[in-house]
Amino acid sequence: MATIGGGYAVASALAFGMPDVQTQNYYASQIRNLSNMGSASGFSEGFLSAAIKVVEALDASTIINKATAAVNKVRGFLRANVISRLVTLEDLQVAGTEMQKYLMTDPVVRERAKEQRMHGYKDTYTDPFPHLATEHHPDYRDSMTGIVQNDDQGNTFWVQYQHNRNVHENPEQNVLTSEQKFCIVDSRAMMREFLAAGGKDPSDGWNGDL
C-alpha cells in the first residue's frame, strides 16, 4: 500500500482546512506577551517553547504547499502508468515512471538535472545511461525516431535512429506508436515551459521550488 508522509499539520490541513490567518496572529501575539512577562507569568520555558512550535506549525504557506503535494501524490497513485500527454504542472509532478524516463531525456531537462537545478524525479528515476550523450540515449532515440523537428535556423528535418539498446533486451518492448511519441514530445515542451517560467519544480512530486 502506498503511503504519503506529511506530519500532523499537513493531515489537519487536509482534513479540516487551514486555520484563519487572524487566529494564527492572535495566538502568536498571546504567546509573545506571555514570553515577555517572564517567570512572573507562572508558565515554564518548556510550555512556552511548545506553544511557539504549535504556532510555527500553523504556517499557512508551508502547510498549503505540502497539503497540495499530498493530494497530487494520491492522484498520481491512481493514474495508470502509461504514456500520456501531460499538460499541467500537477500532471508532470506526479508523472508515472513510464513517462519519467522520456521526460528526463529531453536535452534541456537532462542538462538541468545534471547541474542539480531541478529535482528530476530522483526518488523514482535514475538515468540508466548517464555516460551517453542525449542524442545517443536509447530512450531519447526511441521517442524521437521519425519525428519531424526544427533546428535553430528553422529548418525542418527528421531522423530515423537505429536501435542501440543492449542486445539482450527485447526490442519489441521499446517500440512506441506515433501517438505515444507525440504525447512525449508535447509533454517535454510543457516541462520546458514550466522550467523557463521558474517557480514550482515540474519534476518534484512534493511541489518544491526550482
Side-chain angles (χ1 to χ4, degrees), residues 75-76 78-88 90-103 121 143 176-191:
R75 290 173 179 165
L78 296 176
R79 180 182 292 117
N81 187 26
V82 296
I83 304 298
S84 60
R85 184 174 283 100
L86 307 177
V87 297
T88 69
E90 293 77 11
D91 284 343
L92 290 165
Q93 288 177 332
V94 297
T97 55
E98 204 46 36
M99 278 298 292
Q100 288 177 16
K101 69 181 185 180
Y102 295 114
L103 290 169
Y121 307 110
S143 62
L176 296 170
T177 66
S178 295
E179 182 178 356
Q180 288 175 322
K181 293 176 185 178
F182 294 144
C183 287
I184 292 168
V185 170
D186 289 347
S187 300
R188 282 174 175 160
M190 292 306 303
M191 174 78 87

Side-chain angles (χ1 to χ4, degrees), residues 33-50:
N33 290 339
L34 287 173
S35 181
N36 292 334
M37 289 170 64
S39 60
S41 66
F43 290 99
S44 68
E45 290 185 4
F47 172 83
L48 291 174
S49 176

Side-chain angles (χ1 to χ4, degrees), residues 50-191:
I52 290 171
K53 288 181 179 179
V54 170
V55 173
E56 290 175 345
L58 294 177
D59 176 64
S61 61
T62 299
I63 297 177
I64 288 175
N65 184 61
K66 290 183 178 180
T68 300
V71 171
N72 289 338
K73 282 282 189 178
V74 172
R75 290 173 179 165
F77 290 139
L78 296 176
R79 180 182 292 117
N81 187 26
V82 296
I83 304 298
S84 60
R85 184 174 283 100
L86 307 177
V87 297
T88 69
L89 177 67
E90 293 77 11
D91 284 343
L92 290 165
Q93 288 177 332
V94 297
T97 55
E98 204 46 36
M99 278 298 292
Q100 288 177 16
K101 69 181 185 180
Y102 295 114
L103 290 169
M104 291 307 299
T105 50
D106 175 85
V108 173
V109 172
R110 194 167 186 238
E111 187 63 29
R112 286 192 63 150
K114 284 183 177 180
E115 296 171 355
Q116 298 186 339
R117 295 168 57 205
M118 61 185 295
H119 187 272
Y121 307 110
K122 61 184 178 183
D123 297 330
T124 51
Y125 174 80
T126 301
D127 188 348
F129 305 99
H131 59 289
L132 293 180
T134 299
E135 60 268 25
H136 299 303
H137 197 291
D139 292 331
Y140 180 78
R141 289 191 165 207
D142 288 344
S143 62
M144 295 305 294
T145 184
I147 295 293
V148 176
Q149 306 175 58
N150 294 312
D151 61 20
D152 295 337
Q153 288 72 45
N155 300 313
T156 299
F157 70 97
W158 67 277
V159 178
Q160 189 71 35
Y161 291 109
Q162 291 185 352
H163 209 280
N164 67 336
R165 288 186 180 273
N166 188 300
V167 293
H168 298 294
E169 294 185 23
N170 180 3
E172 294 302 319
Q173 293 180 343
N174 305 301
V175 175
L176 296 170
T177 66
S178 295
E179 182 178 356
Q180 288 175 322
K181 293 176 185 178
F182 294 144
C183 287
I184 292 168
V185 170
D186 289 347
S187 300
R188 282 174 175 160
M190 292 306 303
M191 174 78 87

